[in-house]
Amino acid sequence: MPATPRLPSPPSSTATPGRGPGTSERPPRQPARTSRRPGGARPAAPPPVVTPPAPRRRGVELIASLLGFTVITIDVSAVNIALPAIRDSLSGGMTGLQWVVDAYTLMFAALMLSAGALSDRAGARRAYAWGVALFTLASLGCALAPGIGLLVAARVAQGAAAAVVMPASLALIRQAYEDARARARAIALWTVGGSVAMAAGPVLGGLLTDLAGWRSVFLLNLPVGAVILGLLVRVPRSPRRPAALDVGGQVTAVLALAGLAFAVIEGGRLGWTEAPVVAAAVLAVVSGFAFRAVEARHPRPMVPLGMLTDRRVAVALAVGFALNAAFYGGIFLLGLYYQQLRGMSGIEAGLMFVPMSAVVTATNLVSPRLAERIGRRQVIVAGQLVFAGAMAAMWPLTVHTPVWLVLVLLLPLSVGGALAVPALTALLMDAVPAERAGTASGLLNALRQTGGALAVALFGSLLAGAGDGFSLPGMRLGLLAVAVVLLVTTALTRLLLPRA
């Protein structure tokens, strides 16, 4: 295992670097000039000066990381509210809308695996700057897209860039905060930013869509990207770690996720027994086995299979998958429910998420303190159970459900993920050494994005009724499937995680 990278130590006037075997000769050391006190006694050498890490630098790194994580997260939920306007402008039907969402999340998930190694190899700051620059340019491409096909292609580029931004932002925080307690608090703030962005995205998306058109949702990313790049100028260079790029593993991962998404999305439109759908499902299974075989034989795999033997890591990945499946699926479902079934405008649909945003923020702030008092396992279990309750709470929704009751029924959806994710992320970061921070965060977020992409694919296939309408029975079947997944991961959490 490679040595843990360390930030360069400050120079000391009393320390002389040693030379090991094989190094070039150094000039002879000159005798030090010292003054003598009366009587011939030498003064004591002053102690080496150690400069502590500057709080301001850590603050800049945290702000830059938080902004990037926020902008790539808010893009997802904001676009969900813009989907009906995109359909009216570019056509495409329910299948086209699913691909607008999943083109982003699938590339996000698949390339996240290599992006973690890229973050370690290039250094967190450099990888982060590359990702932010590409995301900003891809957002401009989305805003200028003349048709659904080009919009989906630009969303693919956005997802690839977001895959680099996500693990690099967390690795940037990991390198800035060596103290475990301070790091946990910084990660909690980072998580708060993402959760608030996910919850507030629909509000912003609705406002922008109704006032300036759906293209403004993507144009908003341009000034934010410029601010992030400006902040990174003040951040010191990040240490690098040798990390090989696993091409075979990356290709098989992309094929597996693409095949699975195609089967789920197109299965609802073409039929589950049609040849293209069956072929895509077979491709997904074969590619999944090939991925495992490649990773087991690769000298430096992008997913070290040995890492998965740690119960904390395995549970974190499974729970992350389930939580994002519930949240992404719920946001996708509600955005269409409000506008297609109840006939709300974009602004009205966005305002329906305001109470959710407030609850998410408050819960994120409470979660780290609650985890310190009762333990991370209990907090993670509670979050999943609340989320499963949220899926059940949405079962009674109909076109005639009073608005106030809809808001009350959605409260568990606001609490579940906001309660569990901070504890889950801190659990994973403490379970891996510092040199694996980029790889571990990339793997966690790859599983989370995969869960979200598959939930959108599943809900979209089940929701499409006659004439691409909204199917209530399909909605309830999708809610049941996600609730079952959450209950399974809750049981795994209780069985495999220690109480402490």
Side-chain angles (χ1 to χ4, degrees):
M1 180 177 292
T4 303
R6 297 180 182 273
L7 294 175
S9 302
S12 170
S13 59
T14 61
T16 303
R19 296 281 177 169
T23 57
S24 60
E25 295 183 0
R26 63 181 180 186
R29 187 171 61 181
Q30 299 295 328
R33 297 180 180 178
T34 58
S35 61
R36 292 182 178 272
R37 295 178 181 174
R42 285 187 179 180
V49 178
V50 179
T51 305
R56 174 182 246 180
R57 178 181 63 79
R58 291 203 304 263
V60 170
E61 289 181 341
L62 179 59
I63 293 171
S65 300
L66 182 60
L67 280 176
F69 183 38
T70 299
V71 75
I72 66 174
T73 305
I74 206 170
D75 193 80
V76 178
S77 53
V79 170
N80 272 287
I81 295 299
L83 288 177
I86 293 173
R87 182 192 56 192
D88 295 340
S89 174
L90 304 180
S91 301
M94 181 65 75
T95 301
L97 299 184
Q98 287 173 273
W99 281 117
V100 168
V101 176
D102 274 356
Y104 179 88
T105 50
L106 284 173
M107 288 303 293
F108 199 164
L111 297 184
M112 186 85 68
L113 300 173
S114 288
L118 177 64
S119 173
D120 293 338
R121 183 176 183 174
R125 189 191 75 164
R126 179 176 295 182
Y128 191 54
W130 289 347
V132 170
L134 177 58
F135 185 85
T136 305
L137 291 175
S139 298
L140 179 61
C142 291
L144 300 178
I148 196 74
L150 290 178
L151 175 59
V152 170
R155 291 284 283 169
V156 168
Q158 263 195 321
V164 177
V165 170
M166 175 74 82
S169 68
L170 194 55
L172 209 59
I173 292 176
R174 176 64 181 83
Q175 79 173 27
Y177 295 87
E178 291 296 329
D179 178 71
R181 185 177 293 271
R183 183 170 64 247
R185 290 173 181 169
I187 290 174
L189 289 174
W190 180 83
T191 308
V192 167
S195 299
V196 173
M198 178 58 71
V203 182
L204 186 59
L207 287 171
L208 290 174
T209 301
D210 279 3
L211 298 178
W214 63 267
R215 299 179 191 274
S216 62
V217 174
F218 298 105
L219 290 174
L220 180 66
N221 298 333
L222 274 60
V224 179
V227 170
I228 296 172
L229 293 175
L231 288 173
L232 289 177
V233 174
R234 300 175 57 190
V235 174
R237 290 184 179 180
S238 303
R240 300 183 184 184
R241 179 183 69 85
L245 295 179
D246 182 1
V247 178
Q250 183 61 83
V251 171
T252 52
V254 170
L255 290 176
L257 291 180
L260 185 57
F262 184 92
V264 176
I265 292 175
E266 297 296 334
R269 182 176 68 91
L270 300 176
W272 300 104
T273 59
E274 291 297 315
V277 175
V278 174
V282 171
L283 174 65
V285 173
V286 172
S287 298
F289 280 107
F291 173 79
R292 189 183 186 284
V294 168
E295 297 305 280
R297 297 177 182 178
H298 198 282
R300 285 185 175 180
M302 62 184 183
V303 179
L305 298 181
M307 184 188 296
L308 304 182
T309 60
D310 188 318
R311 291 183 176 184
R312 295 171 297 174
V313 174
V315 170
L317 298 179
V319 174
F321 176 94
L323 290 175
N324 261 43
F327 198 83
Y328 274 71
I331 294 294
F332 179 79
L333 165 70
L334 291 171
L336 296 176
Y337 167 79
Y338 289 141
Q339 296 180 80
Q340 284 195 231
L341 192 64
R342 302 193 66 119
M344 293 184 178
S345 66
I347 293 178
E348 291 171 334
L351 290 175
M352 291 292 289
F353 288 92
V354 170
M356 185 177 179
S357 305
V359 174
V360 165
T361 304
T363 307
N364 265 177
L365 294 174
V366 171
S367 175
R369 298 178 183 178
L370 191 61
E372 289 182 3
R373 290 189 178 184
I374 67 174
R376 288 174 180 164
R377 188 187 78 155
Q378 289 81 348
V379 171
I380 295 171
V381 166
Q384 293 176 88
L385 290 177
V386 170
F387 236 144
M391 299 296 101
M394 286 193 284
W395 267 61
L397 295 181
T398 67
V399 67
H400 302 297
T401 304
V403 171
W404 67 266
L405 182 57
V406 172
L407 296 175
V408 171
L409 293 177
L410 295 182
L411 287 179
L413 186 66
S414 312
V415 174
L419 191 64
V421 170
L424 184 73
T425 307
L427 171 74
L428 180 66
M429 289 296 101
D430 285 350
V432 299
E435 70 269 15
R436 289 293 186 187
T439 300
S441 62
L443 186 56
L444 171 64
N445 289 292
L447 266 293
R448 290 183 64 187
Q449 296 303 319
T450 300
L454 294 182
V456 169
L458 175 65
F459 275 118
S461 298
L462 296 175
L463 283 177
D468 260 353
F470 192 96
S471 169
L472 282 174
M475 177 190 79
R476 290 168 181 153
L477 186 58
L479 292 172
L480 176 62
V482 175
V484 169
V485 172
L486 283 167
L487 292 177
V488 170
T489 54
T490 301
L492 290 175
T493 305
R494 289 184 58 85
L495 290 173
L496 299 180
L497 284 187
R499 290 181 178 272

